[in-house]
Amino acid sequence: MASPSHRRSLRTRRALVVSAAVVAAGVGAGVVVMNANAGTVDLYHQTLAAKDGWASSGTGTTGGTKADAAHTFTVSTRAQLVKALGSATDTTPRIIKVKGTIDANTDDAGKKLSCADYASGTGYSLSSYLKAFDPATYGTSKLPSGTQETARAAAQSKQAKNIVFKVPANTTVVGVPGTKAGISGGMLQIQNVDNVIVRNLSFADTEDCFPQWDPTDGDDGNWNSEYDSVTLRGATHVWADHNTFTDAPHLDSANPEYYGREYQVHDGALDITKSSDLVTVSRNQFTNHDKTMLIGSSDSEPSGKLRVSIHHNVWKGIVQRAPLSRVGQIHIYNNYYDVTTLNGYALQYSINSRAKAQVVAADNYWKVPSTIKVSKILSGDGTGAIAGSGNLVNGTATDLVAAYNAASSKDLKTTVNWTPTLTTGLESSASAVKNLPTSLATTTGAGVLS
C-alpha cells in the first residue's frame, strides 16, 4: 500500500507512536505512527506524494523505501553515519535513521576535534596567513598563492574528510522522532546521484575553520567559506522536508573582521547547484543565516535543469538567497518570510532571479517591519523573471515585482516560459495565505514529524 501523504494536518492528527521497543531494537527497526485519518504511517518508508513539486516528476522520489533489513541503520555517532552511508557509488537502497545529534567534528572514537586539530601538521596559522596576504603588501588584484595558502587548503581538506558526508543514490536519511535528531557542524553532500530523501533533521553551525581570502570578490574583497549544511551538486530527484537549518549557536555576529571584512565561516544552508534537477524543498525552517539557498552556481549553467519547487517553508532571520535563482524553472509558493532583523541578521533581499531564471513566486506571506521598504524583498540582474500573484505583505495583497522595478534600474521581467502543474498542497485563497504565519509555525522544521 502506498504511504499516505504527509500533507494532512499535524495539529489535528491523533498519533500513537509505537516507538520505545522499535527504537531500542536498532538496525531494521522502524517507528510506526497511527494516524486517525489515514491508518498506519511508516515515517521511514514514506515517499514524496504525487504532483508534490518538481521532485515528483518522472520516476518520482522514493529514497530508500526498498531497503532491506541489512541496509536499514540507526546511527548516533559520526562513525556510525559514515559506515551506514557506505560508498557514494553504491546504489543499493538504504534507510538511515539518525537518533540524537551527531557532532561531525569528532574522530572515529567520538573525541571532539577542534580547528587546531585540523591545522596540526599542515603549517597553517591564521596569524601567518593574515600577514602573508595583507592587502597593503600583497595587493588586491590576485587570489592568495604560496606557502600559507597551500597550508590553508591542506587544513581545509583535513576538515572536509571529517565533516563531509557523501550520500549515495536511493537513500533516505531521517531523524528519529523525539530524539532531537540532527547533524552539528557537518555537510550532507548529494552529488551526481538520484533519488534521495532528507527529513526531520536539524542542521546547525556548519562551520569552515579555514575561510579563504579573496581580494577580488566585490569592491573590498571577501572571506569565503566552503561548506553548506546540505549541498546538491548534479543531483536529481531530491526531497528535503521538515528540516531546520541554523547557524546557532555560532551566529555571524560573533565573527571577527580581518582586512575590514567579516571572517565568514558559514556558506549555504541548502544549495542546489551544478545542474541539479527535480528538487522539492518543503516544510523546512531556515533561520539565523546569511547566504541561505543558492540555485545554480554560475550564470553560465546550461538550461533545461535546475527545476526546483519550494513550498510551505519558514524563513526568519535570513539575510539573502531565499533563494537566489539562476537559469532554471523555480516555483516558490506558500512560504512565510519574516524579514525582521534577528540576532544581527538583517535583510538584503529574499528572492533573487538572475541569469534568465524563470521564477513563479505566488501565494507567499511576508512580515515586513516599517523600517524595511517592500522594494527590498526582490532582487535581480535585469535578465531574470518573477511571475505570480497572491503574495501578501503584512496581510495586504502586494505586487512585489512592481515595487522592486519602481526602485531599480535593472527591472525584473514579469512573464515566464512555463506554467507550474505539480502543485499538490497549494493554498491559493487569500484567507489561507493570511493564515500561513500561524499554520506553518507548528507544522514546519525538524521534530514535528512523528
Side-chain angles (χ1 to χ4, degrees), residues 77-99:
T77 68
R78 174 193 159 277
Q80 290 172 351
L81 176 59
V82 170
K83 184 177 180 180
L85 287 168
S87 170
T89 61
D90 184 354
T91 61
T92 306
R94 69 193 63 222
I95 295 172
I96 300 174
K97 309 169 189 178
V98 177
K99 184 179 179 183

Side-chain angles (χ1 to χ4, degrees), residues 158-385:
K158 282 181 66 176
Q159 185 182 17
K161 288 178 181 178
N162 214 77
I163 72 168
V164 176
F165 305 107
K166 298 179 180 180
V167 182
N170 305 316
T171 295
T172 293
V173 185
V174 60
V176 174
T179 68
K180 297 183 179 179
I183 298 173
S184 174
M187 178 172 86
L188 289 186
Q189 178 176 295
I190 306 170
Q191 181 168 333
N192 298 328
V193 298
D194 180 70
N195 193 30
V196 173
I197 295 173
V198 179
R199 302 182 77 197
N200 208 37
L201 292 168
S202 289
F203 294 93
D205 192 20
T206 302
E207 179 181 339
D208 185 350
C209 287
F210 311 102
Q212 182 187 38
W213 170 244
D214 183 354
T216 69
D217 184 355
D219 295 334
D220 301 308
N222 274 305
W223 291 96
N224 294 314
S225 53
E226 182 67 18
Y227 312 112
D228 312 318
S229 293
V230 177
T231 190
L232 279 59
R233 302 172 183 173
T236 53
H237 289 110
V238 178
W239 180 31
D241 175 75
H242 279 97
N243 302 295
T244 296
F245 297 85
T246 180
D247 288 350
H250 182 144
L251 302 178
D252 281 355
S253 58
N255 292 336
E257 285 191 359
Y258 301 117
Y259 309 150
R261 303 295 291 166
E262 180 186 349
Y263 190 68
Q264 179 57 267
V265 298
H266 300 121
D267 194 15
L270 170 57
D271 280 5
I272 303 164
T273 63
K274 305 292 185 182
S275 293
S276 292
D277 198 24
L278 305 177
V279 179
T280 296
V281 180
S282 59
R283 299 189 182 272
N284 302 280
Q285 289 197 7
F286 299 92
T287 184
N288 292 312
H289 196 83
D290 185 353
K291 298 176 287 186
T292 305
M293 182 183 295
L294 180 64
I295 301 176
S297 51
S298 168
D299 287 359
S300 61
E301 288 205 36
S303 61
K305 296 188 177 180
L306 294 171
R307 291 173 290 181
V308 181
S309 298
I310 302 167
H311 70 84
H312 292 92
N313 301 282
V314 172
W315 312 76
K316 190 172 185 178
I318 298 302
V319 177
Q320 59 179 315
R321 300 186 183 180
L324 184 155
S325 303
R326 291 183 168 105
V327 179
Q329 296 175 333
I330 295 93
H331 193 196
I332 305 169
Y333 63 94
N334 291 160
N335 296 276
Y336 171 50
Y337 295 84
D338 182 347
V339 300
T340 308
T341 298
L342 178 66
N343 295 320
Y345 293 90
L347 178 74
Q348 289 186 18
Y349 64 83
S350 293
I351 299 171
N352 183 312
S353 180
R354 60 187 302 110
K356 300 181 180 180
Q358 303 290 297
V359 176
V360 177
D363 303 303
N364 301 287
Y365 189 108
W366 272 266
K367 178 182 177 181
V368 180
S370 59
T371 54
I372 295 178
K373 295 180 179 179
V374 174
S375 59
K376 289 189 67 175
I377 290 175
L378 303 182
S379 185
D381 67 347
T383 72

Side-chain angles (χ1 to χ4, degrees), residues 27-85:
V27 174
V31 168
V32 178
V33 178
M34 298 303 297
N35 188 314
N37 296 316
T40 301
V41 177
D42 180 349
L43 173 62
Y44 304 120
H45 291 84
Q46 275 191 307
T47 61
L48 181 62
K51 297 186 178 181
D52 189 347
W54 275 117
S56 66
S57 181
T59 57
T61 303
T62 59
T65 191
K66 294 182 180 179
D68 58 20
H71 293 88
T72 302
F73 310 89
T74 298
V75 301
S76 299
T77 68
R78 174 193 159 277
Q80 290 172 351
L81 176 59
V82 170
K83 184 177 180 180
L85 287 168

